[in-house]
């Protein structure tokens, strides 16, 4: 007999990753459909994790059909000829973003979209980057330079020069920082911070950021890799405040839970350097037809199934019900329950308790997320396709898990 998955992880992938898998019960995922993950041992887990990827659920038929059709026709393109799916995906995406954001550069992972934004900012003469406390933008070297957490940054220094940090939600602090870099700064910010533990800024914050950027001639990059395409109950976090950034970044849900794909969407002014020279920033698999078909399918699925509205309504119900439940069971161990749409964070006051709750939720049949920049916050990113039965399953599992952590 061959090795087990756990043994292969330990031997060839990462010992630490193997140990984490063991801590979570050692089961192995082998299939998925809709809101459910199927495991090797025959369990069915409700997927409220996946770090925000599964807004449309797993293997949404609209996405699978589009990808399958493309797989049989032309999965990877020569890149020398023009190719229709890239144009269709860009058109579909630009049909959802705030008016004026209609130029698209595709990539695969989220951090790649961040890299593209940093390079585009530099090509526009904006060499100083300003990011936010506990903001998360990925772990490639450029993205890591604006993901200002010592745990992730310190082993990899030196990082990019010319990066400063201001507190998230503090528009006055940002304005003071930008005043030091007139005409040469680029701000990167999330509309609601995900990995920081679902941090919601004060109302009007994004409008103030946009005004500051205008005042000091800075570029405004809104990282919607986790929040975009409906997760917040709006197509974009930008729409909650009616702002039009210079660039919006998208990933995760864009591939419809089927193919990894991400994108930078920019105004024509910001995009001009990439428009002039198509070889200034390239990657072999940028705009590969399989990912483009997935993006077209995902956007169609979100539109046709009314998932943006559904994320709003479902999010309100879950926030309310989960809030009552955890406060009732865990009492003053709960620091806060907060969220927007289907991005929900439960912050616990006791060190280690969020991790215990994550493990107990897995035992109770629910996959959740930890938060990379906030270890006291358990994060839920449920699909917008949950039906009433699945909502009840989540609440029941949550109740069992919360009682279990009390021992
Ligand atoms: C807001 C935000 N930006 C960027 C990233 C990085 O994306 P990826 O992990 O696909 O590189 C993430 C991932 O969680 C994210 O939440």
């Amino acid at each position: 007999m061959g090795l087990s998955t756990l043994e292969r992880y330990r031997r060839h992938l990462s010992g630490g990753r193997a140990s984490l898998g063991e801590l979570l019960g050692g089961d192995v995922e082998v299939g998925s459909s809709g809101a459910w993950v199927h495991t090797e041992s025959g369990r069915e887990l409700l997927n409220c994790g996946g770090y925000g990827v599964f807004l449309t659920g797993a293997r949404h038929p609209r996405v699978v059909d589009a990808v399958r059709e493309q797989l049989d026709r032309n999965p990877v393109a020569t890149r020398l000829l023009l190719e229709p799916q890239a144009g269709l995906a860009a058109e579909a995406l630009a049909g959802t973003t705030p008016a004026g954001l209609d130029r698209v550069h595709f990539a695969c992972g989220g951090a790649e979209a961040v890299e593209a934004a940093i390079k585009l900012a530099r090509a526009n003469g904006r060499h100083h980057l300003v990011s936010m406390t506990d903001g998360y933008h990925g772990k490639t070297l450029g993205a890591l330079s604006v993901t200002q957490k010592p745990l992730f940054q310190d082993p990899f220094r030196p990082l990019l020069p010319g990066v400063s940090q201001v507190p998230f939600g503090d528009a006055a602090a940002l304005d003071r920082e930008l005043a030091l870099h007139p005409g040469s700064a680029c701000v990167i910010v999330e509309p609601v911070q995900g990995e920081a533990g679902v941090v919601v800024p004060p109302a009007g914050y994004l409008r103030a950021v946009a005004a500051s950027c205008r005042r000091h001639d800075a570029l405004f990059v809104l990282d919607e890799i986790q929040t975009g395409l409906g997760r917040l109950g709006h197509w974009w976090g930008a729409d909650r405040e009616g702002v039009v950034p210079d660039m919006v970044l998208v990933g995760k849900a864009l591939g419809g839970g089927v193919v990894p794909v991400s994108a930078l969407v920019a105004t024509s002014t910001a995009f001009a350097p990439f428009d002039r020279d198509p070889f200034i920033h390239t990657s072999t698999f940028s705009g590969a037809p399989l990912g483009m078909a997935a993006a077209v399918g995902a956007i169609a699925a979100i539109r046709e199934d009314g998932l943006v509205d559904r994320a709003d309504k479902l999010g309100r119900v879950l926030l309310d019900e989960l809030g009552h439940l955890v406060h009732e069971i865990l009492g003053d161990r709960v620091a806060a329950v907060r969220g927007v749409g289907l991005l929900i964070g439960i912050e616990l006051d006791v060190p280690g308790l969020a991790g215990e709750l994550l493990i107990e939720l897995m035992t109770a049949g629910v996959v959740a997320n930890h938060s990379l920049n906030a270890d006291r916050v358990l994060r839920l990113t449920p699909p917008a396709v949950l039906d009433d039965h699945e909502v009840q399953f989540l609440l029941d599992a949550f109740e069992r898990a919360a009682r279990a952590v009390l021992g």
Side-chain angles (χ1 to χ4, degrees):
M1 238 185 72
L3 299 176
S4 70
T5 300
L6 183 69
E7 287 161 343
R8 288 196 186 101
Y9 264 72
R10 207 177 291 291
R11 190 173 291 191
H12 298 296
L13 291 167
S14 154
R17 186 69 188 77
S19 302
L20 184 62
E22 240 176 340
L23 188 70
L24 288 165
D27 213 348
V28 174
E29 68 179 75
V30 291
S32 56
S33 56
W36 298 89
V37 175
H38 319 303
T39 76
E40 200 169 51
S41 72
R43 295 187 72 207
E44 301 273 308
L45 304 172
L46 189 71
N47 187 2
C48 295
Y51 304 95
V53 166
F54 297 101
L55 186 76
T56 48
R59 299 196 298 111
H60 190 289
R62 193 76 163 77
V63 186
V64 171
D65 286 351
V67 169
R68 194 169 276 150
E69 214 251 322
Q70 192 60 39
L71 182 64
D72 288 339
R73 197 144 39 85
N74 189 30
V76 174
T78 66
R79 296 186 59 78
L80 202 54
L81 294 163
L82 301 182
E83 184 282 318
Q85 287 300 324
L88 290 169
E91 183 181 61
L93 188 54
T96 70
T97 42
L101 284 158
D102 57 6
R103 299 306 184 96
V104 185
H105 171 82
F106 283 110
C108 296
E112 272 183 274
V114 175
E115 295 295 329
I118 292 172
K119 287 183 71 180
L120 190 52
R122 283 189 165 194
N124 276 295
R126 300 337 195 272
H127 294 98
H128 187 86
L129 296 166
V130 182
S131 67
M132 307 298 151
T133 322
D134 292 330
Y136 188 86
H137 305 286
K139 291 181 182 148
T140 52
L141 281 176
L144 184 61
S145 304
V146 287
T147 298
Q148 304 202 41
K149 178 161 164 134
L151 180 71
F152 300 140
Q153 289 190 325
D154 286 350
F156 303 105
R157 293 185 188 285
L159 297 167
L160 286 184
V163 183
S164 52
Q165 190 184 43
V166 295
F168 181 63
D170 186 342
L174 177 66
D175 198 68
R176 283 194 298 276
E177 181 62 30
L178 291 181
L180 303 175
H181 310 278
S184 65
C186 171
V187 176
I188 181 161
V189 59
E190 298 155 84
V192 172
Q193 288 186 321
E195 298 300 330
V198 189
V199 183
V200 185
Y205 175 62
L206 290 184
R207 275 198 299 277
V209 171
S212 257
C213 287
R214 268 197 308 277
R215 195 173 306 125
H216 302 292
D217 194 19
L219 282 182
F220 174 13
V221 177
L222 195 60
D223 182 345
E224 299 237 25
I225 287 167
Q226 188 152 158
T227 53
L229 289 172
R231 176 144 309 272
L232 299 183
H234 293 261
W235 273 99
W236 302 96
D239 298 338
R240 293 180 70 220
E241 297 205 354
V243 295
V244 183
D246 299 292
M247 301 179 217
V248 163
L249 309 181
V250 52
K252 297 192 187 273
L254 183 60
V258 175
V259 180
V261 49
S262 64
L264 169 160
V265 191
T267 61
S268 54
T269 310
F271 200 74
F274 284 7
D275 217 21
R276 273 194 300 273
D277 183 348
F279 293 110
I280 199 172
H281 182 69
T282 62
S283 155
T284 306
F285 291 121
S286 163
L290 216 49
M292 299 300 93
V296 170
I299 292 166
I302 294 168
R303 216 184 263 294
E304 288 164 14
D305 293 359
L307 296 186
V308 178
D309 197 37
R310 179 96 185 116
D312 178 43
K313 295 203 169 75
L314 201 54
R316 286 173 199 275
V317 171
L318 287 178
L319 190 63
D320 190 45
E321 301 260 347
L322 287 167
H324 280 117
L325 209 75
V326 291
H327 278 114
E328 189 185 308
I329 301 171
L330 297 176
D332 58 10
R333 295 172 187 81
V334 182
V337 179
R338 54 181 178 251
V340 180
L342 289 172
L343 182 56
I344 297 172
I346 295 159
E347 180 171 351
L348 298 161
D349 244 346
V350 183
L353 195 59
E356 283 175 44
L357 191 56
L358 184 87
I359 294 170
E360 290 301 341
L361 271 171
M362 187 76 93
T363 306
V366 170
V367 181
N369 312 282
H370 65 290
S371 301
L372 280 171
N373 282 353
D375 52 16
R376 291 187 182 207
V377 182
L378 179 98
R379 201 157 33 109
L380 293 174
T381 49
V385 296
L386 292 189
D387 63 22
D388 290 350
H389 157 77
E390 290 161 340
V391 168
Q392 197 52 53
F393 182 95
L394 171 59
L395 296 174
D396 292 346
F398 218 94
E399 180 166 357
R400 282 202 303 285
R403 292 199 192 286
V405 294
L406 290 180

